[in-house]
Amino acid sequence: MRPLFAGPVGAAAAAALLGASPAAGAARPVVVQGSLSPRAALFADPVHARVDVLVDPTVVDPSTARLSVRLGPWTQVGRTHVETEAAGGLVRRRFELAIACRSDACAPAGTTRLARPPAATVTAVRRDGRAVRRPVRWPALVVASRIPSGSASATPPPFVLQTTPPAARTRIGVSTAGALLDAAAGVLAVVAVVLAGLVLRRRPAPAVDARSPLERALALARQAESRPAPDRRRALALLARVSGGRDAGYAAEAASAAWRPDAPSTEHLAELVARGERLEENA
């Protein structure tokens, strides 16, 4: 802690604040002083409140000093800042907070009114365990109205309504910005065309299926052996259609198996596929 009062004059001032004799200091071990800044404020403006607590550390434990504020219509803005400093043989605890009153209790009926600051109490604990309580006495606070006298009751109220939007401010002209955007759009279009051409040139050509129609039909039929009955029917029907020019009997048998009332079995389909493969090999 840095010293608050330095030299004999400062020590004398601290002794005068608590009492010139040890007996007086024991009788008043805690001295509280409250201040407000500013002393006159507009309605709803924040006010800086400060409470200085001067403690005789031989009688009272300075770390137990606490500030309790009953805000009422007031609102605390932010947190309470606490600072502890040495004052010769004394210790000062300073509490700082911002408060604002935004309710009708502080609204001026005319141009100004005296507002009642929130009630506050400082408590501390003596070395012998007893509690010490001191009220905070605030100076007078004047709250001023934000509007001229009589404005609220005037008809119509003398308020100015801004109906014209402010002029737009830009670093470059609108026509220049449009031209730059058009040029950028053209460049992006050219880049897109070039990239599309590169992608199309690198795309491999589709593979050509060199198998005969019967070979493709047989491959599909092999896959259909493990599929449901409708797939087996379609595979046999395709075999019948593409093998008619090779072997009319084989094509008729495949068509009959495809459209008979009972579903074609996997075994029958496998047998027809094997015969078709031999037919393709002998072609």
Side-chain angles (χ1 to χ4, degrees):
M1 297 183 292
R2 64 181 186 274
L4 178 61
F5 299 112
V9 177
L17 186 59
L18 285 181
S21 66
R28 298 187 62 202
V30 177
V31 176
V32 176
Q33 183 179 11
S35 62
L36 299 172
S37 178
R39 297 281 297 277
L42 292 176
F43 173 70
D45 274 356
V47 177
H48 180 77
R50 187 178 72 191
V51 178
D52 286 319
V53 183
L54 201 58
V55 176
D56 182 355
T58 63
V59 181
V60 175
D61 183 358
S63 64
T64 63
R66 298 288 186 271
L67 174 66
S68 175
V69 182
R70 294 186 293 276
L71 291 170
W74 292 78
T75 301
Q76 182 171 345
V77 182
R79 297 181 178 180
T80 302
H81 177 69
V82 183
E83 184 181 66
T84 303
E85 295 179 329
L90 307 175
V91 174
R92 185 189 70 181
R93 293 267 283 178
R94 172 171 289 177
F95 301 88
E96 293 181 298
L97 64 155
I99 56 176
C101 185
R102 299 165 179 146
S103 69
D104 294 340
C106 302
T111 55
T112 61
R113 73 172 295 172
L114 285 176
R116 178 177 297 179
T121 305
V122 172
T123 60
V125 179
R126 297 170 60 103
R127 297 292 182 183
D128 57 8
R130 290 183 296 167
V132 178
R133 291 180 176 83
R134 296 286 185 270
V136 179
R137 292 181 174 83
W138 303 107
L141 176 64
V142 178
V143 177
S145 175
R146 290 182 173 273
I147 58 177
S149 177
S151 298
S153 58
T155 304
F159 298 131
V160 178
L161 178 64
Q162 179 67 31
T163 58
T164 304
R169 296 181 179 180
T170 57
R171 294 185 178 180
I172 59 176
V174 176
S175 58
T176 303
L180 292 176
L181 291 175
D182 290 341
V187 171
L188 292 176
V190 172
V191 171
V193 171
V194 172
L195 291 177
L198 292 176
V199 171
L200 292 176
R201 289 177 59 183
R202 293 179 180 179
R203 181 178 298 175
V208 178
D209 193 350
R211 297 177 299 175
S212 67
L214 180 57
E215 287 178 319
R216 291 195 293 271
L218 289 170
L220 293 174
R222 280 293 185 193
Q223 297 175 9
E225 292 178 7
S226 58
R227 294 182 178 274
D231 291 343
R232 296 198 296 271
R233 289 185 184 276
R234 284 189 287 270
L236 288 170
L238 180 60
L239 278 177
R241 186 167 62 253
V242 301
S243 63
R246 299 282 188 91
D247 190 330
Y250 176 81
E253 185 177 352
S256 175
W259 304 115
R260 66 175 55 183
D262 53 329
S265 64
T266 301
E267 293 77 9
H268 192 189
L269 175 59
E271 178 188 350
L272 289 173
V273 169
R275 288 171 56 190
E277 290 173 346
R278 291 193 295 271
L279 183 64
E280 178 66 21
E281 292 174 0
N282 297 330

